Structures are given as C-alpha cells and as structure tokens.
C-alpha cells in the first residue's frame, strides 16, 4: 500500500488455494514448490489481507484450470509419461483455446463458471488503495 498513492490501482495474480487442482492434488499440486510461493491464498484470505492493508477489492476472479496434473494423478495418462511441465502444458492449452472465435468463447464461459464457484487455479485481483490524496 505504501507504494501506491490513494486511488492507485493494484492488479495481482496468485495461485488459488481453493482451486480444483489444489483440492484434488493437495501437496502434489506442482504449484506447491517452495520457495516460489510462500503463501498460497484463498480468495477469502486474500480479500481480507488486502482490506486490512487499506485496499478496496474492486474485482476478484478465479480463472484457469490445467487438467493434465489431475489426469496424471489419477493415472488416466499413458504409463511412463514424463512429469508434468505445468507452464508448457498451460501454454499449449491456452493456444488450443485461442485458435478461433468459438474456442475463445468456450474459454470465457469456462472461466466464468470456474470463477462463479471459486475453483479456478489462479486468483486475479483488482484493488484500489483507499485514503485521500490529502493524507
């Protein structure tokens, strides 16, 4: 909050502790890789932390889902498959959903559904620093 003037906009993304991958994979979720993420936030916890730090949360969404880790965890992938590269798999999935208008619309609908029930892999937050310019 000290880095932003009152009315300043904060946008952040971070893994969602309540995502479908987190719920199904627990500590086997590839995002759990200290020291990369010291804290994995839930939407509720992040909202409270931001409000305590003098921010007003304008928008909080949960988006994205990479089913590859879930498929591997439950042995639905081919035997002997290499470990999941979450970044590469996520990029490939994003490219597949970006190829045409129908797929982009489908991606938008999926993300809205994930956000509605709060199980997307990523928290995306837009918040504004409270306070007056005179302070």
């Amino acid at each position: 909050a000290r880095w932003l003037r009152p009315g300043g906009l904060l946008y952040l993304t971070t893994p969602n502790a309540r995502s479908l991958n987190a719920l199904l994979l627990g500590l086997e979720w590839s995002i759990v890789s200290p020291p990369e993420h010291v804290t994995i936030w839930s939407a509720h916890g992040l909202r409270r932390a931001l409000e305590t730090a003098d921010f007003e949360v304008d928008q909080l969404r949960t988006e994205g889902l990479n089913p590859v880790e879930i498929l591997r965890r439950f042995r639905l992938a081919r035997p002997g498959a290499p470990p999941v590269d979450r970044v590469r798999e996520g990029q490939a999935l994003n490219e597949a959903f970006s190829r045409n208008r129908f797929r982009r619309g489908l991606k938008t609908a999926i993300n809205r559904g994930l956000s509605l029930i709060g199980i997307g892999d990523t928290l995306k937050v837009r918040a504004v620093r409270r306070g007056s310019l005179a302070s």
Side-chain angles (χ1 to χ4, degrees):
R2 291 184 309 229
W3 296 343
L4 288 174
R5 67 177 182 224
L9 179 67
L10 172 71
Y11 178 81
L12 65 89
T13 67
T14 190
N16 178 11
R18 301 278 187 238
S19 74
L20 183 60
N21 275 333
L23 296 171
L24 292 177
L25 301 172
L27 294 176
E28 292 180 38
W29 187 26
S30 64
I31 205 72
V32 180
S33 56
E36 184 178 349
H37 294 102
V38 178
T39 301
I40 299 180
W41 296 90
S42 68
H44 177 77
L46 185 55
R47 180 182 294 276
R48 289 206 43 188
L50 287 168
E51 288 171 352
T52 299
D54 209 24
F55 283 93
E56 181 178 338
V57 175
D58 179 51
Q59 186 178 70
L60 194 154
R61 303 183 319 265
T62 70
E63 292 186 354
L65 176 67
N66 191 337
V68 175
E69 287 184 277
I70 295 170
L71 295 172
R72 292 258 170 87
R73 167 67 173 84
F74 294 101
R75 295 178 181 34
L76 300 175
R78 65 186 189 280
V84 173
D85 180 335
R86 132 178 89 79
V87 174
R88 187 176 59 221
E89 298 287 351
Q91 288 172 338
L93 193 61
N94 189 47
E95 286 174 18
F97 272 99
S98 299
R99 287 197 180 118
N100 62 46
R101 177 181 267 169
F102 173 77
R103 288 181 180 192
R104 287 188 297 275
L106 184 58
K107 177 182 175 181
T108 298
I110 290 169
N111 278 327
R112 284 183 180 152
L114 291 169
S115 194
L116 183 65
I117 55 178
I119 62 169
D121 281 349
T122 304
L123 295 171
K124 295 185 177 188
V125 181
R126 189 172 68 195
V128 177
R129 181 168 175 235
R130 289 190 199 115
S132 68
L133 291 172
S135 55

